[in-house]
Amino acid sequence: AIRKAVLESFGYSVHTATSGVEALEIAARTTLDAIVLDYRMPEMNGLELARALRLRLPAVPLIVLSGYAGRLPNEFTSMAAAFVTKGSHPSALREALEKVLGAAPDRRKHLQTVEKTVQRARENVELTHDLLEESKKAADRSVRSLAKCRKRRA
């Protein structure tokens, strides 16, 4: 869930599957730019899934996400465009995707939006500061004026 949220925050559309069979169903009905898969999964292992995906989607890069780095079949790892170790920082998967696909499709737009939002926030802080200073001066003037009125009455 964390990896999915990280990827979505960078503009990726993420589809998740709980098994190899479900992954094949998603691949059959969805246009995919890359596929992230593990070796150990229900109903079929990662090598079986990778073979099936290679037949159906030979140009789509596969990224292996696994905790079994040194213990995977060579055939499986040789099909991978990138490898990410489970337990690594969630951004490692994003970096692997960027490596095989280039920058995230909406990442530049996302970063520009963030930059504009930060700039607007800075401007709002400055404006708020200026308004507070003006309010403070007006309050000081009001207090002085009130003090003068009280002196005149006394």
Side-chain angles (χ1 to χ4, degrees), residues 72-93:
L72 298 172
N74 286 338
E75 182 185 358
F76 181 57
T77 57
S78 68
M79 287 189 228
F83 188 92
V84 178
T85 304
K86 278 188 178 175
S88 60
H89 192 275
S91 65
L93 182 55

Side-chain angles (χ1 to χ4, degrees), residues 23 66 86 103 116 132:
S66 183
K86 278 188 178 175
K116 286 178 185 176
L132 284 172

Side-chain angles (χ1 to χ4, degrees), residues 13-154:
S13 175
V14 180
H15 304 273
T16 58
T18 57
S19 69
V21 171
E22 187 179 351
L24 288 172
E25 291 169 358
I26 291 170
R29 69 176 188 269
T30 309
T31 301
L32 303 170
D33 296 318
I35 299 170
V36 178
L37 65 153
D38 194 354
Y39 184 74
R40 299 190 88 187
M41 62 183 81
E43 299 175 13
M44 65 173 56
N45 66 38
L47 176 57
E48 294 166 328
L49 176 58
R51 285 177 184 153
L53 290 168
R54 278 290 144 256
L55 291 173
R56 294 181 179 142
L57 305 167
V60 176
L62 303 178
I63 298 172
V64 173
L65 174 67
S66 183
Y68 298 93
R71 300 174 286 181
L72 298 172
N74 286 338
E75 182 185 358
F76 181 57
T77 57
S78 68
M79 287 189 228
F83 188 92
V84 178
T85 304
K86 278 188 178 175
S88 60
H89 192 275
S91 65
L93 182 55
R94 176 186 53 84
E95 291 164 7
L97 278 163
E98 288 178 356
K99 175 184 157 193
V100 300
L101 298 176
D106 296 327
R107 184 173 184 199
R108 276 186 287 272
K109 186 167 64 171
H110 172 76
L111 291 176
Q112 288 170 346
T113 301
V114 169
E115 288 169 0
K116 286 178 185 176
T117 302
V118 168
Q119 183 59 36
R120 273 189 251 125
R122 284 184 180 134
E123 291 168 1
N124 286 338
V125 166
E126 289 174 20
L127 179 61
T128 301
H129 180 267
D130 292 346
L131 289 171
L132 284 172
E133 288 298 315
E134 289 300 316
S135 295
K136 206 168 153 184
K137 289 175 186 175
D140 288 343
R141 285 191 301 270
S142 294
V143 167
R144 283 192 303 271
S145 178
L146 184 60
K148 285 181 186 177
C149 287
R150 286 186 179 162
K151 280 185 183 179
R152 286 184 204 144
R153 286 185 189 165

